């Protein structure tokens, strides 16, 4: 399968614990996005990378959240000191763009986080 | 503020009925427009997209959408739905890079 993959698919943790999610984008895709989706809502933008550079972070991304894409390939999203409000589906998407206006993002299956 | 509105949160149709899902957006510039579908237990999949040109775009599985710039709308249509179209449908707008999604419409098609 050559789509976007995410690991783990499900994570249950206790409040205060740290968690890390991984996203492997489609090969050769230079942009990678993280979104968060809660029940009854559409996905909301968190952050994105152009190659290894993190170019934008949403206000939703508190100081407890950090994302990396060290070699411009896979990315990790870490949440420190998790809170119950962090419970959500975390989606990763990737795209290839040469900087023009046309860009299509392809989404992974998501990591569903439950904080007890 | 940039936003996307999907007015129909839940839609129930019988097979063979026609479908139209509304999507309106607020964005002060040129946009790309998308419809994604999420079947039960699956990830978001692209149904169709509009970048420029013909405002009537055709997607997979018989879906189409029409971009009406003056109304800031990008409604999704299908002439005859099937039971297998039961899913959640999301409209998304892209300005410079990030997508802004609507809240989604849950479609249930009765066999």
């Amino acid at each position: 399968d050559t789509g976007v993959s995410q690991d783990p698919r499900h994570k249950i943790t206790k409040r205060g614990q740290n968690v890390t999610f991984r996203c492997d984008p489609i090969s050769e895709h230079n942009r990678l996005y993280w979104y968060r989706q809660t029940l009854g809502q559409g996905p909301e933008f968190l952050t994105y990378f152009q190659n290894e550079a993190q170019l934008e972070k949403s206000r939703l991304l508190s100081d407890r959240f950090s994302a990396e894409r060290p070699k411009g390939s896979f990315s990790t999203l870490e949440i420190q000191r998790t809170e119950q409000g962090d419970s959500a589906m975390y989606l990763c998407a990737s795209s290839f763009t040469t900087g023009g206006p046309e860009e299509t993002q392809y989404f992974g299956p998501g990591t569903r986080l439950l904080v007890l | 503020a940039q936003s996307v509105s999907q007015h129909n949160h839940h839609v129930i149709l019988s097979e063979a009925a026609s479908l139209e899902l509304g999507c309106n957006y607020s964005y002060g510039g040129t946009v790309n427009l998308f419809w994604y579908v999420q079947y039960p237990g699956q990830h978001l999949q692209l149904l169709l997209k509009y970048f420029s040109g013909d405002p009537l775009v055709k997607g997979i599985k018989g879906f189409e959408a029409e971009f009406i710039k003056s109304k800031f709308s990008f409604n999704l249509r299908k002439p005859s739905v099937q039971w297998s179209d039961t899913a959640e449908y999301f409209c998304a707008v892209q300005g410079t890079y990030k997508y802004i999604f609507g809240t989604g419409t849950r479609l249930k098609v009765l066999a």
Side-chain angles (χ1 to χ4, degrees):
Chain A
D1 184 74
T2 57
V4 178
S5 62
Q6 293 186 244
D7 184 69
R9 296 288 304 274
H10 303 272
K11 179 70 177 179
I12 300 174
T13 191
K14 293 182 179 179
R15 189 177 54 190
Q17 298 294 305
N18 298 344
V19 294
T20 300
F21 310 141
R22 177 181 170 121
C23 170
D24 287 89
I26 294 171
S27 181
E28 308 300 328
H29 277 194
N30 52 3
R31 279 192 181 174
L32 187 148
Y33 296 78
W34 286 98
Y35 292 83
R36 181 170 68 185
Q37 185 177 17
T38 53
L39 274 176
Q41 300 295 319
E44 295 177 286
F45 170 80
L46 291 179
T47 188
Y48 91 105
F49 294 83
Q50 174 89 23
N51 299 311
E52 66 275 10
Q54 187 174 18
L55 297 186
E56 181 75 17
K57 290 171 60 172
S58 162
R59 289 173 299 167
L60 293 174
L61 221 61
S62 75
D63 292 344
R64 297 183 296 104
F65 288 71
S66 62
E68 294 182 340
R69 195 183 183 199
K71 297 183 179 178
S73 57
F74 74 91
S75 175
T76 58
L77 178 68
E78 180 183 16
I79 309 174
Q80 296 182 325
R81 304 180 305 281
T82 52
E83 302 173 355
Q84 288 180 326
D86 297 331
S87 296
M89 176 76 87
Y90 290 85
L91 298 170
C92 177
S94 72
S95 69
F96 177 77
T97 175
T98 56
E102 299 186 4
E103 178 191 356
T104 302
Q105 297 178 22
Y106 296 89
F107 285 80
T111 294
R112 185 172 294 281
L113 173 66
L114 177 62
V115 182
L116 301 176
Chain B
Q2 303 161 8
S3 64
V4 176
S5 295
Q6 291 183 242
H7 309 295
N8 316 101
H9 298 295
H10 292 89
V11 174
I12 301 175
L13 295 173
S14 298
E15 274 193 316
S18 64
L19 171 72
E20 180 160 3
L21 301 182
C23 173
N24 288 87
Y25 66 92
S26 171
Y27 189 90
T30 303
V31 295
N32 296 330
L33 297 159
F34 305 85
W35 277 97
Y36 283 80
V37 61
Q38 188 166 30
Y39 298 103
Q42 296 188 25
H43 61 280
L44 282 166
Q45 299 173 37
L46 181 67
L47 260 185
L48 48 78
K49 58 188 176 185
Y50 172 81
F51 292 144
S52 63
D54 188 344
L56 183 63
V57 292
K58 295 190 184 299
I60 61 172
K61 305 185 180 187
F63 286 91
E64 64 178 31
E66 185 176 13
F67 170 49
I68 303 179
K69 190 174 181 179
S70 61
K71 295 185 177 181
F72 298 92
S73 70
F74 189 56
N75 292 352
L76 181 71
R77 300 194 291 250
K78 186 171 184 179
S80 176
V81 294
Q82 300 173 317
W83 177 80
S84 58
D85 293 324
T86 294
E88 190 161 17
Y89 294 79
F90 292 93
C91 178
V93 168
Q94 181 188 38
T96 49
Y97 53 90
K98 66 184 179 185
Y99 283 11
I100 300 168
F101 284 87
T103 52
T105 296
R106 288 187 182 272
L107 171 66
K108 184 175 178 62
V109 180
L110 304 175

